[in-house]
Amino acid sequence: MRISYETESAIKILSAVVIIAVVVLYYLLAPIVTHKPVPYGVAAPKGQIILLENITIGKYSWENAVDLQKYLILKGSEDYGDSVTLKLQNPDWCLDIVIWEGQKYVRTEECIRELVIPKYLFAISSAFYWYVESGYHIIVYKREGTPENYELVNFTVTYGEETDWGAFKAAYPRD
């Protein structure tokens, strides 16, 4: 049995249209079907140089310290609970926590090495980056003595069962 020229052309055109439609649908639907959540982790600081400052918040002050409120950025889209744990790895460094309580700043923690931060103290962007809210200050400083220039400060951040590392080099500003 012989197929007419018109039928043969229609089959070829229809085959090409079907192949193109399958390829287009694959590229449109594959990202949706294979979507994976944003993995949890520390986005910053990851080894950046952070300048030491003399910080005054309310009636509290620190010399040669870093306010992580400006620098700590986490990422993730999964919900592993209501709190995040930040733990310093350097034994000679401390954390102080200062929060705004409506009328004044209050130091709620002094020279601790492990901190549990409620999840609601983070502003979470549409891209799933977590920023520390403006009224919550995490001050990192050396307990005794002065930090060395470019001293590496390591920490871990745990959210549920997920843990990631962060680090920064504490440096003095140039004169």
Side-chain angles (χ1 to χ4, degrees):
M1 176 170 163
R2 179 124 168 97
I3 300 176
S4 70
Y5 175 76
E6 292 84 13
T7 306
E8 185 179 337
S9 296
I11 291 173
K12 287 180 182 177
I13 291 172
L14 188 59
S15 298
V17 168
V18 167
I19 290 172
I20 291 171
V22 167
V23 169
V24 168
L25 280 175
Y26 172 77
Y27 282 108
L28 288 176
L29 296 178
I32 296 169
V33 172
T34 62
H35 171 72
K36 293 188 173 120
V38 177
Y40 174 76
V42 176
K46 283 282 200 181
Q48 290 94 332
I49 296 172
I50 298 178
L51 297 180
L52 293 166
E53 301 176 77
N54 294 332
I55 300 170
T56 300
I57 300 174
K59 63 181 181 179
Y60 308 103
S61 62
W62 300 264
E63 288 186 14
N64 300 321
V66 170
D67 185 354
L68 278 184
Q69 186 267 335
K70 301 179 204 174
Y71 303 105
L72 182 63
I73 302 171
L74 307 178
K75 62 182 175 183
S77 63
E78 292 292 313
D79 188 2
Y80 295 119
D82 294 333
S83 62
V84 174
T85 303
L86 187 144
K87 184 175 182 181
L88 285 176
Q89 301 299 312
N90 300 53
D92 49 345
W93 285 76
C94 288
L95 297 169
D96 280 7
I97 308 307
V98 178
I99 61 172
W100 176 250
E101 285 197 342
Q103 296 184 0
K104 63 179 180 173
Y105 281 101
V106 176
R107 181 168 32 197
T108 59
E109 301 287 345
E110 188 173 350
C111 199
I112 60 172
R113 298 191 22 75
E114 186 170 330
L115 168 66
V116 177
I117 308 169
K119 186 178 173 184
Y120 71 85
L121 289 174
F122 289 95
I124 302 174
S125 72
S126 60
F128 298 110
Y129 283 99
W130 302 18
Y131 302 92
V132 179
E133 289 284 355
S134 61
Y136 192 77
H137 297 273
I138 305 168
I139 310 298
V140 182
Y141 62 97
K142 196 162 188 173
R143 183 180 313 149
E144 295 177 12
T146 57
E148 294 178 25
N149 202 18
Y150 298 105
E151 185 171 345
L152 185 63
V153 179
N154 294 296
F155 60 91
T156 59
V157 179
T158 304
Y159 179 46
E161 297 178 4
E162 299 291 324
T163 299
D164 196 18
W165 67 274
F168 63 89
K169 291 184 179 181
Y172 294 97
R174 290 186 179 167
D175 292 332

